[in-house]
Amino acid sequence: MKLQSQLNIAFTTLLVVIMSVAAFTIYSLILNLLIQNEQSQLEKNGRIITGMINETPSINIQQLSGLLEDLKLQGFFYYSTDNNDDTIITNLPREVAEYWVNNYDLSQDNQPLWKAGNERYVVSKISFSPRFPEWELILVTPLDDLQAVQRNFIRTLLLVFTVGIIVAVLLSYFMTNRLVTPLTRLKEQVKKIEKRQFNDIQSIHASGEIKEVEQSVLEMAQELQRYIQSQRQFFQNASHELKTPLMTIQGYAEGIRDGVFEREESERGFEVMIAEIGRLKKIINEMILLAKLDSEENIYRKENIKVADLIKLTLERALPLANDKNVEVTYGTIDEAEITADKEKLLQAMMNIVSNAIRHANTVVEISVVKAEGISIMVADDGKGVPEDLMPHLFHRFVKGEGGETGLGLAISRAIIERSGGNITVDRSPRGGALFTIFLSEDIHDKE
């Protein structure tokens, strides 16, 4: 069942239940309200009658029955003496009035419903004082008359409820249609993502949370498209990078086998093959490391690291390369700064960045640390810098700048830093070369 139908059925069911409960409650209360109102009206009419009698000295008590007929009221006048000589003047059947006098307590002011056969009556008792204190006036109204009013009211109420339900259902259909239509269109866009039809994805007209979901879906599609493209480029570059040393090894191996290379050339061929095998091994190891960083959780083991210790270890490993390139490496750090990361992995990321800076520097590489809402480690050199068009792609796999090696070192550094909860950027250095900035969250510990 479609979502729109489910919403309409749920809303209609809830509305019918609520209105049914309301109708039942009103039906239960309306009769009591009608009875109370009729008793009040009877009492009011009774006060008018007793007032007329008290204010008219010439009125004959035997004419009281005609007075009830004239006012279109039902009831009886009752007079009781100590010797049980009761007088009843009524416009009702006399046996009914006598039955009530014999079976109900006329001393009570608030009378319940009285019965006469199968009929029930609303009753109101009014005293005659002061002129005729021994007389009582009893006015009644058949309950059937009030029940007829009740039924008419309920029929009108049901008609109003029915019209209200129809209008509410139509309004519900309109509102759910406005709600579900964007979801349906969003589903179509998700289907396009599933089929990788990224160029056919269109924005939908929506608002509120649906618009936010749509924005998230579009961002997911863009990220997925970038990922697929990067994977395609990765496999293309990987096949090229792996094919080149393999072809070199194959060429020398076949040349040695066929006797094309002899003596010194053969020895040189073996050296080239060994070097290419080492390069191939390095590429494969780096590819495996990247795959593990992307997929395996247990490869990354966090611990508390002092930033100063991390930089010192990096300098110790990078010093031979710096001496070989005749490049000076300067640094400044903050002793109390600490982070939580995998020490060996982060050291490898730092080595990739610092080694890259040393290879491209002219005379100096500067490492500095800034503490502001986290730890920023900056590595700057005075070389040629990174071309503007290469900066957005520099951390992608197999993207190499001038003089690059495998094109995986910076991609590995970015993967490690992001697994550490940080990020890395590249920009132009004030010294004219490249400026790499690593931002990591700082862990604050209580000092004893």
Side-chain angles (χ1 to χ4, degrees), residues 406-417:
T406 63
L408 294 174
L410 293 180
I412 291 173
S413 296
R414 184 185 70 168
I416 293 172
I417 292 167

Side-chain angles (χ1 to χ4, degrees), residues 232-295:
R232 288 174 181 171
Q233 185 179 6
F234 170 76
F235 286 117
Q236 291 172 359
N237 293 336
S239 63
H240 174 74
E241 293 293 332
L242 294 174
K243 188 184 297 183
T244 301
L246 286 174
M247 289 179 63
T248 302
I249 294 171
Q250 182 182 9
Y252 275 102
E254 290 177 351
I256 294 172
R257 182 196 64 187
D258 297 336
V260 175
F261 302 113
E262 297 179 355
R263 299 184 180 88
E264 292 84 0
E265 292 180 351
S266 177
E267 293 294 332
R268 176 174 172 77
F270 281 122
E271 291 177 1
V272 172
M273 290 170 61
I274 293 172
E276 289 300 311
I277 291 172
R279 178 166 171 262
L280 186 61
K281 181 180 178 182
K282 181 178 181 181
I283 294 174
I284 293 173
N285 288 338
E286 290 182 342
M287 290 173 60
I288 293 173
L289 176 60
L290 272 173
K292 288 183 177 180
L293 288 171
D294 289 340
S295 59

Side-chain angles (χ1 to χ4, degrees), residues 193 198 201 216-226:
I193 296 174
F198 299 109
I201 297 176
S216 299
V217 169
L218 292 178
E219 292 175 356
M220 178 189 67
Q222 294 171 358
E223 185 63 28
L224 182 59
Q225 185 179 17
R226 285 194 296 267

Side-chain angles (χ1 to χ4, degrees), residues 315-334:
L315 292 176
E316 290 175 359
R317 297 191 180 188
L319 186 59
L321 178 61
N323 292 335
D324 186 55
K325 295 289 185 178
N326 198 23
V327 172
E328 180 185 4
V329 181
T330 64
Y331 72 96
T333 186
I334 302 174

